[in-house]
Structures are given as structure tokens and as C-alpha cells.
Amino acid sequence: MAGKLILGIETSCDDTAAAVVRDGKDMLSNIVSSQNEIHKKYGGVVPEIASRKHIEVINIVIKEAINKAGVKIGDIDAVSVTNRPGLIGSLLVGLGAAKAISYAQGIPLITVNHLKAHIYSNILINSKIKGNFLGLIVSGGHTSLYFIDNNWKISEIGHTVDDAAGEAFDKIARYLKLGYPGGPIIDKLSKKGDPSFIDFPRPMLDSGDLNFSFSGLKTALIYKTKKNKGLLKKENLNDLAASFQKAIVDVLIEKTINACKQYGCRDILISGGVAANSRLREDFKEICKKENIKLYAPPLWLCMDNAVMVACLGYYELVSGNVSDLSADVYSRSDL
Ligand code: KG4
Ligand code: ZN
């Protein structure tokens, strides 16, 4: 079979995922086993449970990815795995599986950065995308802005100083007893709500830098609803959700557009779980059209954690000679 076949493995948080991608662009399979149902009752990811669940399903998920791709393990040219940043116990499961396959098959092991993989997910839907663009990665664990130059050198130019945007959605959903993960639930309620119901603060808009902060916004909602319990009535829930969501979306968009102008970019690329938010996507589309900026927003399944993006980035690391070995380790935090 022509082309390089990369097996991608992703276990950095609570999704066990494997995928086979040819030449960094043709997806042959994409398997994701979600642990949402398990963590739901705790209102968030419990790291110890996450790593145990990864162990239970990792081999099944990898086998399924290879079968669905219609290939054999012996056809795989390299194995690419997320080894940073993420939950240590979870990352170790993926790395252990990748090392075993690399050793047994005698194929290269590539260790990749999860956030860089989110950025590369856009190549799958648009392989012509050139450098010099602005990237916003917004998920349950991260909210960061990146400048990607013409050589695809990625520099972080802003980040959250406390909670990630997805974390704020998840925490507020837990406070409102709506369920987990909170982002999609708040997104759904907001569709029927009035975003001007409560004028929440837009934190950090005047901070003079490109950083974010969402912890105060979360506190503002809790404070307002404790002071006025009527806000928590069922008939106000959609409006409350829509107002909270709009405050997050406004900040994410304004900061990203500012960064785009500051760095002289004409393209914006968004990814990560919160990039699936319908209000964020719609508002981004509108403002980018007005500002004559091209917006790259991957389909929803590609915004969430997956191994397709890990295999895609793995291909580019492989052809650049960035290969790892069996001494590779995992890291809870990591710069790009
Ligand atoms: O990228 P991801 O799958 O995992 C991490 O790397 O964190 O993102 C998960 C996060 C969760 O916080 C979830 O609530 C949020 O993405 N999320 C959303 C939406 N779908 C997922 N947030 C807002 N609106 C959505 N539609
Ligand atoms: Zn992610």
C-alpha cells in the first residue's frame, strides 16, 4: 500500500482513542471510547479512574482502529502517541501501548504534544493551509493563543491565568446540577435563551495582554444566583446559560481577533472541545467575514479529543526526523 501509514494513540485525558491516517491527511479509521458516562457522577474527570479505564479498553480500541482501516498491524509504518500535556496516569497508558507496538513491530515511535495535535487537526480538512496564522486552542484543560509562522513554528502568545474556558463551562454546569461535560449542555440550553438576560463581566478584555481568566466569571454567576435565588428557577435557566456562554464567547473572540491584528495574520484556526460551541462558531464566522479574516474551524468530531490529529501530526514529525525511542516519558505540562 502506497504512502505512510501512521497509527495514532490518544489517552491524555478521559478519551481512549486510536486512528490510522495515511500521509498525514487520509483518515482510514477513527475510534474514540469516551468515559463521559463514568465521570458524569463526579461532575468532572477523576484522574485515577480515567487511567484505569484506559487500561481496560486501550488494546480493544487500537485493534478496532487497525481493523476498521482495513490494514494489518504489520502494514503500520510508525506509531504516534500523545505524551504531553495531560494526566500523568492516563498518558502513561497510551505511551506504554505505543512503546509495545513500536518494539514488537520494529517501527518508529513518535511522541507528540496534544495541543500541537489540536492545531494540526486542521490540516486534515485543509491540507493547503499555509503558515502565518493565529491559533486558538480552547478545551477543558487549555485556553491558549498561538502564532504559527510561515515555517509552522508555533509560539504561545497568550493563555488562561486560571480556569480554562471548558473548565468554566463544566464547573458552572456542575453548580447548576446540569450534568457533565457542561459545555454541550450549556450550549444546548443557550439556544433557547436570551444572552442579554444578565450582563456578566467580560474578564481581561482590558488587560493589555493576550491572556484569559475565567475563574471570576464563574464566581460572578455563583454570587448573583446566591444573592437572587429566583435566577435559578427552571424558567430562567436557558437565559442564565445563554448569558454565561455569551460572556465566555465574547472574550474568546475579541482576544483572538486582537491577537490576529497584532500579529498581522489573515487566518484564524480554532480547535479543542470548546471550539465545538455553536455560539462561538457562529459569532466567529460573522466577525471574520466582517474583518475579512479566513476562519478554519474543524468539524465537531475533530474539535474533541481524538487520535486522528495525533496520527496526522505524527506523520509530519516523522518526515522531519523527530522520532523518539523507548526511553520516552510523559509530562503533565509542556510548552509546544
Ligand atoms: O478537547 P476536549 O475534548 O478535551 C480536553 O482536552 O479538555 O475538550 C473537552 C471540553 C469540556 O470542558 C467540554 O465541556 C467542552 O470541551 N465542550 C464544549 C462543547 N463541547 C465540548 N464547550 C462548549 N460548547 C460545546 N458545544
Ligand atoms: Zn484536547
Side-chain angles (χ1 to χ4, degrees):
M1 198 178 284
K4 289 250 178 273
L5 284 184
I6 312 291
L7 169 68
I9 300 175
E10 159 65 45
T11 61
S12 66
C13 191
D14 62 338
D15 291 314
T16 319
V20 177
V21 176
R22 185 188 291 128
D23 290 340
K25 55 181 166 45
D26 302 325
M27 179 179 79
L28 304 190
S29 64
N30 171 31
I31 308 296
V32 183
S33 170
S34 163
Q35 300 179 4
N36 279 351
E37 282 307 312
I38 297 155
H39 299 286
K40 217 175 188 167
K41 54 178 169 291
Y42 307 103
V45 178
V46 183
E48 181 63 29
I49 296 176
S51 50
R52 285 183 200 195
K53 286 288 156 196
H54 284 310
I55 293 173
E56 282 174 23
V57 301
I58 185 83
N59 287 340
I60 303 165
V61 168
I62 291 173
K63 264 190 200 147
E64 205 178 329
I66 290 170
N67 288 342
K68 278 258 166 71
V71 300
K72 300 211 160 38
I73 184 90
D75 299 328
I76 302 290
D77 293 294
V79 54
S80 174
V81 62
T82 303
N83 77 327
R84 63 195 189 278
L87 303 171
I88 287 293
S90 293
L91 288 165
L92 272 173
V93 178
L95 181 63
K99 280 184 181 177
I101 293 170
S102 162
Y103 182 69
Q105 297 298 318
I107 55 174
L109 171 72
I110 301 148
T111 50
V112 305
N113 182 301
H114 180 81
L115 302 170
K116 193 171 173 184
H118 268 304
I119 293 174
Y120 271 68
S121 66
N122 282 274
I123 294 186
L124 281 148
I125 44 159
N126 200 323
S127 58
K128 287 191 190 70
I129 184 166
K130 294 270 183 305
N132 195 30
F133 56 85
L134 219 285
L136 168 72
I137 304 297
V138 59
S139 71
H142 306 274
T143 301
S144 301
L145 284 167
Y146 300 95
F147 171 62
I148 298 107
D149 77 6
N150 279 322
N151 299 314
W152 275 75
K153 184 175 173 292
I154 304 172
S155 318
E156 191 195 274
I157 54 171
H159 58 259
T160 178
V161 296
D162 42 52
D163 290 354
E167 196 178 350
F169 278 122
D170 293 340
K171 285 180 175 168
I172 283 306
R174 184 165 58 187
Y175 168 73
L176 296 173
K177 299 188 177 65
L178 297 173
Y180 173 84
I185 302 168
I186 291 181
D187 191 352
K188 198 169 161 208
L189 295 178
S190 301
K191 286 189 177 143
K192 292 172 274 172
D194 172 11
S196 62
F197 179 62
I198 296 179
D199 187 19
F200 282 116
R202 270 49 174 171
M204 303 286 275
L205 277 189
D206 301 317
S207 64
D209 57 23
L210 296 171
N211 290 336
F212 302 95
S213 163
F214 295 108
S215 165
L217 188 54
K218 182 190 67 193
T219 315
L221 184 143
I222 295 172
Y223 179 77
K224 275 186 199 295
T225 52
K226 287 220 155 113
K227 223 169 121 197
N228 178 0
K229 293 224 164 35
L231 293 175
L232 290 171
K233 280 188 185 150
K234 208 163 180 265
E235 65 261 31
N236 291 327
L237 216 49
N238 293 342
D239 295 338
L240 191 61
S243 306
F244 182 72
Q245 173 177 278
K246 185 75 171 107
I248 292 189
V249 165
D250 281 355
V251 175
L252 289 172
I253 292 183
E254 193 165 329
K255 286 254 166 179
T256 309
I257 297 287
N258 285 347
C260 189
K261 289 181 178 166
Q262 210 171 307
Y263 280 78
C265 303
R266 301 303 323 154
D267 302 271
I268 290 176
L269 170 167
I270 61 173
S271 195
V274 180
N277 184 270
S278 57
R279 177 91 262 157
L280 183 78
R281 293 169 85 91
E282 269 171 42
D283 288 3
F284 246 133
K285 232 187 255 170
E286 202 175 298
I287 186 138
C288 284
K289 198 169 164 213
K290 217 165 79 196
E291 299 279 350
N292 200 20
I293 292 169
K294 184 149 176 46
L295 175 72
Y296 295 90
L300 303 194
W301 64 268
L302 203 49
C303 289
M304 312 293 185
D305 284 352
N306 64 85
V308 177
M309 63 185 193
V310 175
C312 172
L313 171 57
Y315 169 78
Y316 288 95
E317 298 289 16
L318 180 71
V319 295
S320 307
N322 295 332
V323 171
S324 204
D325 59 36
L326 296 181
S327 67
D329 209 344
V330 294
Y331 305 91
S332 60
R333 289 168 176 274
S334 164
D335 293 334
L336 280 174

Short mmCIF file of all heavy atoms in Angstrom, two decimals, residues 51-81:
data_model
loop_
_atom_site.label_atom_id
_atom_site.label_comp_id
_atom_site.label_asym_id
_atom_site.label_seq_id
_atom_site.Cartn_x
_atom_site.Cartn_y
_atom_site.Cartn_z
N SER A 51 -7.31 6.65 34.27
CA SER A 51 -6.20 5.79 33.84
C SER A 51 -6.59 4.32 33.89
O SER A 51 -6.23 3.55 33.01
CB SER A 51 -4.93 6.08 34.65
OG SER A 51 -5.21 6.06 36.01
N ARG A 52 -7.36 3.93 34.90
CA ARG A 52 -7.79 2.52 34.97
C ARG A 52 -8.67 2.15 33.79
O ARG A 52 -8.57 1.07 33.23
CB ARG A 52 -8.58 2.28 36.25
CG ARG A 52 -7.68 2.23 37.46
CD ARG A 52 -8.50 1.92 38.67
NE ARG A 52 -7.79 2.33 39.86
CZ ARG A 52 -8.12 1.94 41.07
NH1 ARG A 52 -9.16 1.14 41.23
NH2 ARG A 52 -7.43 2.33 42.10
N LYS A 53 -9.57 3.05 33.42
CA LYS A 53 -10.45 2.77 32.28
C LYS A 53 -9.67 2.71 30.98
O LYS A 53 -9.98 1.90 30.10
CB LYS A 53 -11.56 3.85 32.19
CG LYS A 53 -12.59 3.69 33.24
CD LYS A 53 -13.47 2.48 32.97
CE LYS A 53 -14.11 1.96 34.24
NZ LYS A 53 -14.67 0.61 34.13
N HIS A 54 -8.65 3.56 30.85
CA HIS A 54 -7.81 3.49 29.65
C HIS A 54 -7.19 2.09 29.52
O HIS A 54 -7.17 1.51 28.44
CB HIS A 54 -6.67 4.52 29.72
CG HIS A 54 -7.08 5.92 29.44
ND1 HIS A 54 -7.81 6.29 28.34
CD2 HIS A 54 -6.84 7.07 30.12
CE1 HIS A 54 -8.01 7.60 28.36
NE2 HIS A 54 -7.44 8.10 29.44
N ILE A 55 -6.70 1.57 30.64
CA ILE A 55 -6.06 0.24 30.62
C ILE A 55 -7.06 -0.81 30.14
O ILE A 55 -6.72 -1.69 29.35
CB ILE A 55 -5.51 -0.14 32.03
CG1 ILE A 55 -4.35 0.79 32.40
CG2 ILE A 55 -5.06 -1.61 32.07
CD1 ILE A 55 -3.84 0.64 33.81
N GLU A 56 -8.30 -0.69 30.60
CA GLU A 56 -9.32 -1.70 30.23
C GLU A 56 -9.60 -1.73 28.72
O GLU A 56 -9.85 -2.79 28.17
CB GLU A 56 -10.64 -1.41 30.96
CG GLU A 56 -10.61 -1.88 32.40
CD GLU A 56 -11.87 -1.44 33.14
OE1 GLU A 56 -12.91 -1.18 32.50
OE2 GLU A 56 -11.79 -1.36 34.39
N VAL A 57 -9.57 -0.57 28.09
CA VAL A 57 -10.04 -0.55 26.69
C VAL A 57 -8.96 -0.29 25.64
O VAL A 57 -9.22 -0.46 24.44
CB VAL A 57 -11.20 0.45 26.48
CG1 VAL A 57 -12.37 0.10 27.37
CG2 VAL A 57 -10.75 1.88 26.72
N ILE A 58 -7.76 0.09 26.06
CA ILE A 58 -6.76 0.54 25.07
C ILE A 58 -6.49 -0.48 23.97
O ILE A 58 -6.47 -0.14 22.78
CB ILE A 58 -5.44 1.00 25.78
CG1 ILE A 58 -4.45 1.57 24.75
CG2 ILE A 58 -4.75 -0.11 26.55
CD1 ILE A 58 -4.67 2.98 24.40
N ASN A 59 -6.31 -1.75 24.34
CA ASN A 59 -6.00 -2.76 23.31
C ASN A 59 -7.16 -2.96 22.35
O ASN A 59 -6.97 -3.12 21.15
CB ASN A 59 -5.61 -4.09 23.96
CG ASN A 59 -4.22 -4.01 24.58
OD1 ASN A 59 -3.44 -3.14 24.22
ND2 ASN A 59 -3.93 -4.91 25.51
N ILE A 60 -8.37 -2.93 22.90
CA ILE A 60 -9.56 -3.11 22.06
C ILE A 60 -9.67 -1.95 21.06
O ILE A 60 -9.94 -2.15 19.88
CB ILE A 60 -10.84 -3.17 22.95
CG1 ILE A 60 -10.71 -4.29 23.97
CG2 ILE A 60 -12.10 -3.32 22.11
CD1 ILE A 60 -11.71 -4.22 25.11
N VAL A 61 -9.46 -0.75 21.57
CA VAL A 61 -9.58 0.45 20.73
C VAL A 61 -8.53 0.43 19.61
O VAL A 61 -8.83 0.72 18.44
CB VAL A 61 -9.46 1.73 21.61
CG1 VAL A 61 -9.28 2.97 20.75
CG2 VAL A 61 -10.70 1.88 22.49
N ILE A 62 -7.31 0.05 19.93
CA ILE A 62 -6.24 0.00 18.92
C ILE A 62 -6.56 -1.06 17.86
O ILE A 62 -6.45 -0.81 16.66
CB ILE A 62 -4.87 -0.27 19.58
CG1 ILE A 62 -4.45 0.94 20.43
CG2 ILE A 62 -3.80 -0.61 18.53
CD1 ILE A 62 -3.20 0.74 21.27
N LYS A 63 -6.98 -2.24 18.34
CA LYS A 63 -7.31 -3.32 17.39
C LYS A 63 -8.43 -2.88 16.45
O LYS A 63 -8.38 -3.12 15.25
CB LYS A 63 -7.80 -4.55 18.17
CG LYS A 63 -6.67 -5.55 18.40
CD LYS A 63 -7.23 -6.85 18.94
CE LYS A 63 -6.10 -7.62 19.61
NZ LYS A 63 -6.52 -8.39 20.75
N GLU A 64 -9.43 -2.22 17.01
CA GLU A 64 -10.56 -1.77 16.19
C GLU A 64 -10.11 -0.73 15.15
O GLU A 64 -10.58 -0.76 14.01
CB GLU A 64 -11.64 -1.18 17.10
CG GLU A 64 -13.01 -1.27 16.47
CD GLU A 64 -14.10 -0.75 17.38
OE1 GLU A 64 -13.95 -0.87 18.61
OE2 GLU A 64 -15.09 -0.23 16.85
N ALA A 65 -9.21 0.15 15.56
CA ALA A 65 -8.71 1.18 14.63
C ALA A 65 -7.99 0.52 13.46
O ALA A 65 -8.16 0.93 12.30
CB ALA A 65 -7.79 2.15 15.35
N ILE A 66 -7.22 -0.51 13.75
CA ILE A 66 -6.47 -1.20 12.68
C ILE A 66 -7.44 -1.98 11.78
O ILE A 66 -7.36 -1.91 10.56
CB ILE A 66 -5.38 -2.09 13.30
CG1 ILE A 66 -4.29 -1.17 13.88
CG2 ILE A 66 -4.77 -3.05 12.27
CD1 ILE A 66 -3.25 -1.84 14.72
N ASN A 67 -8.39 -2.68 12.39
CA ASN A 67 -9.38 -3.45 11.61
C ASN A 67 -10.21 -2.54 10.72
O ASN A 67 -10.40 -2.81 9.54
CB ASN A 67 -10.31 -4.23 12.55
CG ASN A 67 -9.58 -5.40 13.19
OD1 ASN A 67 -8.53 -5.81 12.71
ND2 ASN A 67 -10.13 -5.92 14.28
N LYS A 68 -10.74 -1.46 11.32
CA LYS A 68 -11.60 -0.53 10.56
C LYS A 68 -10.85 0.09 9.38
O LYS A 68 -11.44 0.40 8.34
CB LYS A 68 -12.10 0.59 11.47
CG LYS A 68 -13.30 0.23 12.30
CD LYS A 68 -14.60 0.83 11.70
CE LYS A 68 -15.85 0.22 12.29
NZ LYS A 68 -16.11 0.62 13.67
N ALA A 69 -9.53 0.27 9.56
CA ALA A 69 -8.72 0.87 8.49
C ALA A 69 -8.51 -0.12 7.35
O ALA A 69 -8.04 0.26 6.27
CB ALA A 69 -7.38 1.33 9.05
N GLY A 70 -8.82 -1.39 7.62
CA GLY A 70 -8.64 -2.42 6.59
C GLY A 70 -7.19 -2.76 6.35
O GLY A 70 -6.79 -3.14 5.24
N VAL A 71 -6.37 -2.58 7.39
CA VAL A 71 -4.93 -2.90 7.27
C VAL A 71 -4.55 -3.92 8.34
O VAL A 71 -5.39 -4.29 9.18
CB VAL A 71 -4.05 -1.62 7.40
CG1 VAL A 71 -4.40 -0.63 6.32
CG2 VAL A 71 -4.20 -0.99 8.79
N LYS A 72 -3.29 -4.34 8.31
CA LYS A 72 -2.79 -5.24 9.35
C LYS A 72 -1.76 -4.48 10.16
O LYS A 72 -1.16 -3.52 9.65
CB LYS A 72 -2.14 -6.47 8.70
CG LYS A 72 -3.09 -7.27 7.82
CD LYS A 72 -2.72 -8.74 7.82
CE LYS A 72 -3.87 -9.62 7.38
NZ LYS A 72 -4.70 -9.08 6.30
N ILE A 73 -1.53 -4.91 11.39
CA ILE A 73 -0.56 -4.21 12.23
C ILE A 73 0.80 -4.13 11.54
O ILE A 73 1.52 -3.14 11.66
CB ILE A 73 -0.48 -4.87 13.65
CG1 ILE A 73 0.48 -4.10 14.58
CG2 ILE A 73 -0.06 -6.33 13.59
CD1 ILE A 73 -0.18 -3.04 15.36
N GLY A 74 1.13 -5.17 10.76
CA GLY A 74 2.42 -5.19 10.05
C GLY A 74 2.52 -4.15 8.95
O GLY A 74 3.61 -3.86 8.46
N ASP A 75 1.38 -3.56 8.55
CA ASP A 75 1.40 -2.53 7.49
C ASP A 75 1.73 -1.14 8.05
O ASP A 75 2.03 -0.21 7.30
CB ASP A 75 0.01 -2.41 6.81
CG ASP A 75 -0.40 -3.70 6.15
OD1 ASP A 75 0.49 -4.43 5.66
OD2 ASP A 75 -1.62 -4.00 6.12
N ILE A 76 1.60 -1.00 9.37
CA ILE A 76 1.78 0.32 10.00
C ILE A 76 3.26 0.73 9.92
O ILE A 76 4.15 -0.06 10.24
CB ILE A 76 1.31 0.30 11.48
CG1 ILE A 76 -0.16 -0.11 11.58
CG2 ILE A 76 1.57 1.63 12.18
CD1 ILE A 76 -1.17 0.89 11.06
N ASP A 77 3.52 1.98 9.50
CA ASP A 77 4.90 2.46 9.34
C ASP A 77 5.46 3.11 10.59
O ASP A 77 6.68 3.14 10.78
CB ASP A 77 4.96 3.47 8.18
CG ASP A 77 4.67 2.81 6.85
OD1 ASP A 77 5.48 1.95 6.43
OD2 ASP A 77 3.62 3.10 6.25
N ALA A 78 4.60 3.69 11.42
CA ALA A 78 5.08 4.34 12.65
C ALA A 78 3.90 4.50 13.60
O ALA A 78 2.75 4.56 13.17
CB ALA A 78 5.68 5.71 12.34
N VAL A 79 4.21 4.57 14.90
CA VAL A 79 3.16 4.78 15.89
C VAL A 79 3.40 6.13 16.57
O VAL A 79 4.51 6.44 17.00
CB VAL A 79 3.05 3.60 16.90
CG1 VAL A 79 4.37 3.29 17.56
CG2 VAL A 79 1.96 3.85 17.93
N SER A 80 2.35 6.94 16.60
CA SER A 80 2.43 8.29 17.15
C SER A 80 1.52 8.37 18.37
O SER A 80 0.36 7.95 18.31
CB SER A 80 1.96 9.28 16.08
OG SER A 80 1.89 10.58 16.61
N VAL A 81 2.03 8.90 19.46
CA VAL A 81 1.25 8.92 20.70
C VAL A 81 1.40 10.25 21.43
O VAL A 81 2.47 10.86 21.42
CB VAL A 81 1.68 7.73 21.62
CG1 VAL A 81 3.14 7.85 22.04
CG2 VAL A 81 0.79 7.63 22.85
#
